[in-house]
Each structure stands twice: as structure tokens, then as C-alpha cells.
Amino acid sequence: MLRESLNDLSAFLAVARERSFTRAAAQLGVSQPALSQTVRGLEARLGVRLLSRTTRSVSPTEAGERLLKAVGPRFEEIEAGLAGLAEMRGKPAGNLRITADEHAAPTVLWPALRRVLPDHPDIKVEVVVSSVLTDIVTERFDAGVRWGGIVAKDMTAVRIGPDMRMAAVAAPSYFAGRAKPQRPEDLTAHACINLRLPTHGGLYAWEFEKDGREVRVRVEGQLVFDTEPLLLQAALDGFGIAYLFEDGVRAHLEAGTLVQVLEDWCDPFPGYHLYYPSRREPEPALAVLVDALRYCG
């Protein structure tokens, strides 16, 4: 009876977390009708409805949410304990899901994965690139990569990179016949290439700081993008001033294809951190990645 109940609870948790019988069935390796029958059997034994089903969606009822919060963390601890057995084999193994923004993924995360993965063939990694500030617990990620200043306090954060700076840049052709901005407020008189961030729900306000004074400027221009490579290309093509990570434009500054302005207003800020839930030690596969990424500068 206990084994049957554990299997049924595991089936319910998979559906509740995935919000889909189809995805949960694929994850568990069972058919969708069999999974539906299992969950209905659990509801019948408990005498309450756990899931609200429509033709388009599945979501936990109030009782389902209570059960999810009560047993979900216990199952995670069991899963972590089982994964920890990999240490006894002498080589870490398992699947890792990591979220990172489009700048961190190629510049910080991938170089570490490229070094580590050949020595650990039993570790499989899925990297999801997103500019959204993801709740890694709710979205079932093992870890995330974000700037140090925006890591939630209930997470364990490991420094994986040096301090960073932004750079306001444009092509030399853009400044032909135009005065370069001397203060952040001068940007309102220039064509600027805007960035839209889903988390902010609108256009990103450019942030500057000098001598302890912070300034946020909402700029205007002909172009808005939601990805950095296009901002860079538009700046190179002379469409205006873009605000990008300094390390991403350094080669263009050295080559003279971009010109930097307001450099004295771009103070360093905390660099990237890898973060994961603080309630337990990282699983062996994640521990390998943490060691590879740890910044010692």
C-alpha cells in the first residue's frame, strides 16, 4: 500500500509541476491514459479533487496546492539523496538544467562546460537562455546564472566572474557632425538603440553612476530590440548609441569600429554568480560545475 501511494504521489507531483498530463507522462515514461487513471485513483482514495482539468490546461486545486507544498519538498530530498549515490560510484552523473542570460551563457557558462564535460560523460546539461529573472525552484532548474546584485537572498550564490561594466557606444559615422554626450542626460538628444526586457515589462532605463550619484535615463530612438547581438549590429551600422556589456564591445573599441562615450559614468557592478537553492548541498553533478566556474580573482 505504501509503495502504491508513493507511486501515485509521484505521478501527481509530475502533473502538478508540468501543468500537463502529456509532458508528465513523457517524463515518467508512461502513457497519458494510464497517468490520468493513476491520478484519478489517488483523488478517489483521498476524497478530494487535486487537479482542475480543461481542454487546454491542467492546474492544482486548492487541495492540490496544499499537497504539492506538503510532499513536494520531501520528494526533492529523496531525489537528491538518490542522486547523491553517484558519489559512491566515483564519478558524478545526472541531468542539470541551468538558466542564464544571453551574455552569460557564451562568455561564462559555456567555457566552463567545455572544459568539464569531456571528463564527465555521465553529466548531461540543458542550458536555457532567457533574460527573464527565473524562479529556479518553480521552473525546476538546478541552478541559474545572474549578476551578483540580483540573486535572491534565499539562494546559495557562488561568484563565477569579475566585476562588470556597461559601455555606451556608437559607430564613428554616427558622431560625424554630432556632439558627443558629456552627461547621461545628454542622451535624450541622441538616437539611442533601446532594449526591451520581459522582466521589466517595458524598455530598459539606462543606469549610470558617478561619485555616488545614480542616474537613470529613458532614451528614445528608431530601434528597439530584445536581444543584444542586434543592438550591437545596429550600433556598428551607425543607427545610434547602444548600451552594452563592455567586454562584449572591447574588440570593436580597440579596432575603432565603435566609439565609447560617458565612460566615467559607467562604474563597475558585481559580476556573475551561479545560484541554487540553499536548503541543501549541491548534487554531485552540480558540485562539479560549481568548482569549474568558481571565480578566484
Side-chain angles (χ1 to χ4, degrees):
M1 181 64 181
L2 176 60
R3 180 177 180 181
E4 182 183 39
S5 297
L6 288 175
N7 289 338
D8 292 354
L9 285 171
S10 179
F12 159 74
L13 290 174
V15 178
R17 288 166 175 166
E18 292 294 332
R19 299 295 200 271
S20 164
F21 276 91
T22 302
R23 291 195 296 270
Q27 181 186 103
L28 296 173
V30 300
S31 69
Q32 185 176 338
L35 179 59
S36 180
Q37 184 177 355
T38 297
V39 174
R40 290 187 186 279
L42 177 62
E43 290 175 322
R45 288 199 304 278
L46 296 177
V48 292
R49 190 178 183 188
L50 299 175
L51 296 171
S52 176
R53 307 163 177 84
T54 69
T55 57
R56 294 187 177 182
S57 65
V58 178
S59 60
T61 63
E62 182 178 355
E65 285 285 1
R66 288 187 61 180
L67 184 60
L68 180 62
K69 291 178 181 178
V71 304
R74 276 71 176 179
F75 270 72
E76 290 178 0
E77 291 172 4
I78 293 171
E79 292 168 358
L82 293 173
L85 294 177
E87 290 181 311
M88 298 177 66
R89 294 195 290 140
K91 55 180 182 179
N95 299 323
L96 292 177
R97 293 187 74 234
I98 303 171
T99 176
D101 66 38
E102 67 178 353
H103 180 262
T107 61
V108 179
L109 187 55
W110 174 242
L113 292 174
R114 186 175 57 203
R115 293 194 308 272
V116 166
L117 292 183
D119 295 328
H120 298 280
D122 292 331
I123 297 177
K124 297 181 180 180
V125 181
E126 176 185 356
V127 177
V128 176
V129 178
S130 173
S131 57
V132 176
L133 295 179
T134 305
D135 182 335
I136 61 173
V137 175
T138 300
E139 299 299 325
R140 305 286 292 164
F141 284 99
D142 295 286
V145 178
R146 289 292 183 266
W147 304 339
I150 57 175
V151 174
K153 291 182 173 59
D154 60 344
M155 295 283 161
T156 295
V158 179
R159 181 73 173 257
I160 62 174
D163 284 350
M164 302 166 62
R165 294 181 67 195
M166 300 297 290
V169 297
S173 60
Y174 171 77
F175 287 119
R178 292 186 178 92
K180 295 178 181 178
Q182 302 300 312
R183 304 175 305 156
E185 294 86 350
D186 296 340
L187 290 169
T188 57
H190 283 267
C192 295
I193 306 165
N194 257 310
L195 172 68
R196 186 179 298 280
L197 292 177
T199 302
H200 290 250
L203 300 181
Y204 168 62
W206 295 8
E207 300 170 283
F208 299 91
E209 184 175 350
K210 180 179 180 181
D211 299 329
R213 181 192 171 203
E214 297 181 3
V215 178
R216 292 168 61 90
V217 182
R218 295 201 174 275
V219 298
E220 298 288 340
Q222 190 177 13
L223 292 168
V224 178
F225 297 109
D226 66 351
T227 181
E228 292 176 22
L230 286 174
L231 266 75
L232 173 59
Q233 190 59 55
L236 289 168
D237 290 340
F239 279 86
I241 303 174
Y243 200 45
L244 296 160
F245 289 107
E246 186 180 59
D247 63 346
V249 299
R250 188 172 293 123
H252 294 287
L253 294 174
E254 293 173 353
T257 51
L258 287 177
V259 176
Q260 185 172 3
V261 295
L262 301 174
E263 186 173 359
D264 57 335
W265 279 92
C266 297
D267 280 356
F269 56 89
Y272 284 116
H273 286 63
L274 183 81
Y275 65 101
Y276 53 89
S278 58
R279 63 175 177 269
R280 63 174 184 261
E281 290 297 313
E283 297 174 7
L286 180 57
V288 167
L289 184 59
V290 170
D291 288 342
L293 283 166
R294 194 182 302 275
Y295 177 67
C296 300

